[in-house]
Amino acid sequence: MPPSKRTPSETGRLGEEQAARDLSRSGWAILGRNWRTRRGEIDIIALDGDTIVFVEVKTWPHGADDDLAIAIGPAKRKRMAETAKCFLDTHRQYNGMYARFDVILASSVPNADGTYRFRHLRDAFSERVE
């Protein structure tokens, strides 16, 4: 389907799928996608070496870093941290690992080959997980 005919949720889903494939190709182990609790959702949960990473994927028209404050505001960061805590509470084998919150900004306009341009912001924010 041409990009102009996609709904925002379809565009976001395609960006998330591409991001997960790219992370996997880079050697990350994908543990979960669209992991939900009543507190929130995390797009991708993965292992990057000995670090558990909670990833938010945002598909934007320009994917600019200055959009980060809009994409991941304080309320969203808090929900992600609470959701990460729920994940760690139910998957105790990952307790004691360093946890990181990454954001991937993806362009909503695909390249000629159908892939998306990404800007991966490692350790994009930190939140206290209690």
Side-chain angles (χ1 to χ4, degrees):
M1 175 181 304
S4 61
K5 301 281 186 189
R6 290 188 189 126
T7 66
S9 62
E10 289 171 327
T11 300
R13 183 181 48 78
L14 289 171
E16 288 176 17
E17 287 174 5
Q18 173 96 33
R21 275 194 306 271
D22 287 356
L23 293 173
S24 185
R25 283 187 199 125
S26 296
W28 292 34
I30 305 299
L31 302 176
R33 296 208 26 225
N34 299 312
W35 199 84
R36 298 176 197 275
T37 70
R38 62 182 175 83
R39 293 180 179 178
E41 174 192 6
I42 296 176
D43 295 329
I44 301 171
I45 302 171
L47 291 177
D48 178 17
D50 61 354
T51 301
I52 188 162
V53 187
F54 300 95
V55 182
E56 175 70 11
V57 179
K58 285 295 184 182
T59 307
W60 291 104
H62 305 292
D65 291 352
D66 56 354
D67 291 335
L68 183 58
I70 298 167
I72 311 294
K76 176 64 175 177
R77 290 192 302 265
K78 183 173 171 50
R79 280 194 311 275
M80 278 187 72
E82 290 173 351
T83 305
K85 169 94 167 76
C86 289
F87 179 86
L88 293 171
D89 284 347
T90 59
H91 297 84
R92 295 209 178 270
Q93 67 268 36
Y94 304 112
N95 286 355
M97 295 183 82
Y98 179 72
R100 191 174 79 209
F101 292 92
D102 288 8
V103 175
I104 295 177
L105 298 174
S107 171
S108 65
V109 180
N111 298 321
D113 64 359
T115 62
Y116 291 85
R117 286 174 290 137
F118 291 99
R119 172 100 167 107
H120 187 159
L121 306 171
R122 293 175 184 258
D123 230 348
F125 66 91
S126 44
E127 287 291 319
R128 186 176 183 94
V129 180
E130 297 180 18

